[in-house]
Every structure is written in C-alpha cells, then in structure tokens.
Amino acid sequence: MEAQQESVLHFKISVDENEPKRGVLAVLEKLRPNWKPEEVKLKFFTEGITNQLIGCHVDKLMEDVVLVRIHGKMTDLFVDRETEMKSFEVLHAHNCGPQLYCTFENGICYEYVKGTVLGEGLVRQPAIYRLIAMEMAKLHSIPAQNNSPAKPILWKKISEFLNLVKTSKDDSPVYKCSRFLTEVPSIDILVSEIETLKKHLSQIKSPAVLCHNDLLCKNIIYNEAKGFVRFIDYEYAGYNYQAYDIGNHFNEFAGVHNVDYSLYPNQDLQSDWLATYLETYKDYNGMDSTVSDEEVQKLYVQVCKFSLVSHFSWGLWALLQARYSTIDFDFLRYAMARFNYYFKKKSEILAMQLL
C-alpha cells in the first residue's frame, strides 16, 4: 500500500473507556477548536464488539460529525495499528473510505459516512449486494506499492492468533471454565485443522489483493440517496487472498450477536454476487468485462473453500477477546458457533472439485 496523505495528527491523550466523555472532549478541543464543549453532542454506537465508537457533533444537521473510536482493551496485541493507518490513507485516496482526522493514545478520529448501517436483511437485497460486490472489486483493484508482489497475511495472522491463545491459556480463568474445556476444540485439534486447511488451500491460485478482511454487515454503510456503499473499519485490512475476503463476507451474512447460519447466502445469490464482482474487477483491471458461467463457478468453489479458514481466524480472535475484552459480549459462544459450523461443512467443502 502507498499512503497518499500527509502525516496524520497525533494527540498525547488517553480516553478512559469507562468514562470517555472528558477524554473525548479533550481530543475534540484540539481537533475542532471552534467547537464549544458545552454544545458537543455525543452519540454512543453499540453495535461493535471490539471497540467503543462515539459520534460527535455540534450542528443539528450533523454536517460535520467526528467519529471517535476507542480501541478495545489489549487489541494492540493482535491489530497492527501502523498498517491500519496506512489502510485508512490509501482507501481514502482511492475514494473507498472516510478520511482519518487524527490518532490519540488509545484510539482514532475519522470522518462520518452518512447512510444506513447494513443488517442481515439489507445485505441480501440484490440492489445492495451488487453494490457491495462492485465496491469490493474496486478495493481489490487498488495496486500494490510500486506494483510489487503482494504477500497474503492470512497464515501469519492465524499463527499470531494461535500463539496468543497458547500463551494466555494458562493464566486465564476464561480458558479454565467448563464451557471452554468441553466445547472449544483443543489447541492440538486447532493446530491440526489449520495445517490441513493450509495444505489444501495452497493448491488454489487465488490472487493476493488489498482486502478489507472484516466485512461484516456493520462495516458496510449504504447511502440510498446517492446509490453507493462504503466500507468502514480497517483494523484487519491488508493484502490477502481474493477468495478469502469474499468468503469471509459471505460468512458474515449469519450475523454476529445471534449467529444464524441458515442466513448464509445460497448458491444462486452467491453466483449473482460473484458475476457482478468479476465484471467490475475485470473492468478495473483493463480486461474484457465479459464473464462466463465457468469463471463464476471457479470463483464460487474458491470462495467456499476459503470461507472455511475464515471460521478459524475469527474463532481464534473470539477466544482472545474472551480473555481480554471488557465489552459485554459472549465471545466463547461466538467462537463455538464458528468452530461448530466449520466442522459441519468441512468435509462437504473440501470435497468440492477445483476447476
């Protein structure tokens, strides 16, 4: 990735995640010095399960809204903040994301994207999911810095998650509870399954592209008036396998707070989504945008296979969140939903023939 903006402002201010108002106002005093503290309105968004997000404004029309994101406890263990900042700058420069205003000791401030946060219903509507497919194709077409070969971060990131789970396992009451011991796969099983997936997926020639890597519904904003979608939150953005980013997004149709895999998109929806994606992706990359049924089917199989490893990535992530996060969310339940669905679909998907 190549940053396009000048250096981002940084303020040496820490915001207390339990009582954030004073710290937020201290940041805004520097970022928006013309705002009167007594006039600042704070809106707390509650959808997130990693960080706290607060919308700040003074005007009733909300023409200038600053989003303040307070990083979740210990998330710097598994989030590369430097890469995240570069992702913000690159995606904004290519009109794919909001502007990053500043950073502070334990968070960032960035531009508010007007629109509707998607839910499990809207993400299934053809007019909207085609916009998502087109936006992802645009993101995937952003060239690497100096056009140098990009290396996928998938296996490195999973290895980091796994090592963090291993090292924190002995000192965490969460990892000693009966639910963890009886329902979460053992470390040995997790390691074995990851090696199986790595060996199988290495046979798939999915290109390495700039990916969002966390495209759940709440990270997609739909602006109906202007007819576009935008992706937000780039904590996990980076170069990765094309099929992984798409497969991970399809997994997110099931939701987060109440995971329901009956909502996973059927093959007809996926095929239409993938046809739109391929047409746009080929157009952005200077190719004939005609898309054959064979091309759609080939990508469909690749996406199904990479969707498996997405469950492991977020299952391990959830185990880490269960250990460190102060957010009120049942991370163990989420991890078990991910692992259970993986084992349910594993044989069927691994048996699918590559084209």
Side-chain angles (χ1 to χ4, degrees), residues 175-190:
Y175 293 173
K176 293 180 174 66
C177 74
S178 59
R179 288 176 65 207
F180 180 88
L181 294 172
T182 60
E183 299 182 53
V184 175
S186 70
I187 292 294
D188 288 343
I189 290 175
L190 293 176

Side-chain angles (χ1 to χ4, degrees), residues 21-38:
K21 184 174 182 179
R22 178 181 296 180
V24 168
L25 290 177
V27 172
L28 292 174
E29 185 179 5
K30 293 181 176 295
L31 185 65
R32 293 288 188 271
N34 59 317
W35 286 10
K36 297 178 181 179
E38 64 273 16

Side-chain angles (χ1 to χ4, degrees), residues 330-343:
D330 192 343
F331 289 104
L332 277 184
R333 180 168 174 249
Y334 181 75
M336 289 185 289
R338 286 290 200 163
F339 291 134
N340 288 341
Y341 192 71
Y342 163 82
F343 284 108

Side-chain angles (χ1 to χ4, degrees), residues 164-166 168-177 180-181 316 318-324 332:
L164 286 168
V165 170
K166 286 179 181 177
S168 60
K169 189 171 183 290
D170 294 335
D171 66 353
S172 171
V174 172
Y175 293 173
K176 293 180 174 66
C177 74
F180 180 88
L181 294 172
L316 291 170
L319 295 183
L320 290 172
Q321 291 289 71
R323 166 69 178 86
Y324 294 114
L332 277 184

